[in-house]
């Protein structure tokens, strides 16, 4: 999920939920990450890379290598209202909401939900 060489198609929305893959602006670049938690939820990432939201471990079948990765956020972390805590699927190297530099993503920075890419065709659930 870190780099896409094929075109992506997104749908603009104002309601994103856990598991949605979204494209958003960060430092004049477009990044693609997965929503792990939404505003007012509490997220926890343990030392083994297991993610829990509001005390319940989330199922992440798309993660090949669970890891804590780069992180300078203190957990548990409560996601501010109207923002999203996003995580890259390649947790070892992904720059995402685990870093204070990036932080949570506000709705006004989100381009839309990724629905699929072309070449090779992949449907994002």
């Amino acid at each position: 999920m870190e780099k896409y060489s094929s075109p992506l198609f997104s749908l603009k929305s104002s309601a994103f939920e856990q598991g949605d893959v979204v494209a958003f602006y960060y430092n004049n670049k477009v990044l693609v990450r997965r929503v792990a938690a939404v505003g007012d939820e509490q997220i926890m990432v343990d030392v083994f890379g297991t993610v829990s939201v509001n005390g319940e471990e989330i199922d992440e079948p798309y993660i090949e290598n669970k890891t804590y990765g780069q992180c300078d956020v203190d957990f548990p972390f409560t996601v501010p209202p109207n923002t999203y805590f996003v995580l890259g699927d390649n947790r070892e190297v992904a720059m995402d909401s685990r870093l204070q530099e990036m932080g949570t993503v506000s709705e006004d920075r989100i381009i839309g939900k990724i629905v699929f890419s072309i070449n090779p065709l992949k449907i994002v659930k």
Side-chain angles (χ1 to χ4, degrees):
M1 181 169 313
E2 299 312 306
K3 292 195 289 189
Y4 280 99
S5 58
S6 59
L8 300 172
F9 290 89
S10 68
L11 294 175
K12 187 64 180 168
S13 176
S14 61
F16 304 101
E17 56 188 43
Q18 184 183 90
D20 286 347
V21 177
V22 295
F24 60 95
Y25 293 107
Y26 174 73
N27 275 352
N28 296 319
K29 295 179 185 175
V30 174
L31 298 182
V32 176
R33 300 289 186 269
R34 194 176 300 272
V35 173
V38 301
D40 298 319
E41 290 184 325
Q42 187 177 72
I43 188 165
M44 174 72 183
V45 180
D46 70 18
V47 296
F48 303 107
T50 300
V51 179
S52 299
V53 176
N54 297 329
E56 291 188 34
E57 184 178 330
I58 62 174
D59 183 32
E60 298 183 291
Y62 40 83
I63 299 297
E64 291 181 25
N65 183 23
K66 279 190 179 183
T67 181
Y68 190 68
Q70 306 174 72
C71 181
D72 62 5
V73 171
D74 292 325
F75 291 109
F77 177 83
T78 301
V79 181
N82 304 313
T83 67
Y84 300 90
F85 194 99
V86 297
L87 294 170
D89 285 356
N90 187 355
R91 302 279 165 80
E92 190 170 358
V93 296
M95 181 171 194
D96 53 35
S97 294
R98 293 171 296 166
L99 296 170
Q100 292 178 17
E101 176 185 340
M102 180 178 207
T104 56
V105 179
S106 59
E107 279 187 22
D108 63 333
R109 290 174 38 205
I110 296 178
I111 298 166
K113 176 181 172 180
I114 303 299
V115 289
F116 65 90
S117 67
I118 294 182
N119 194 20
L121 181 63
K122 287 185 179 179
I123 303 239
V124 179
K125 296 179 183 181

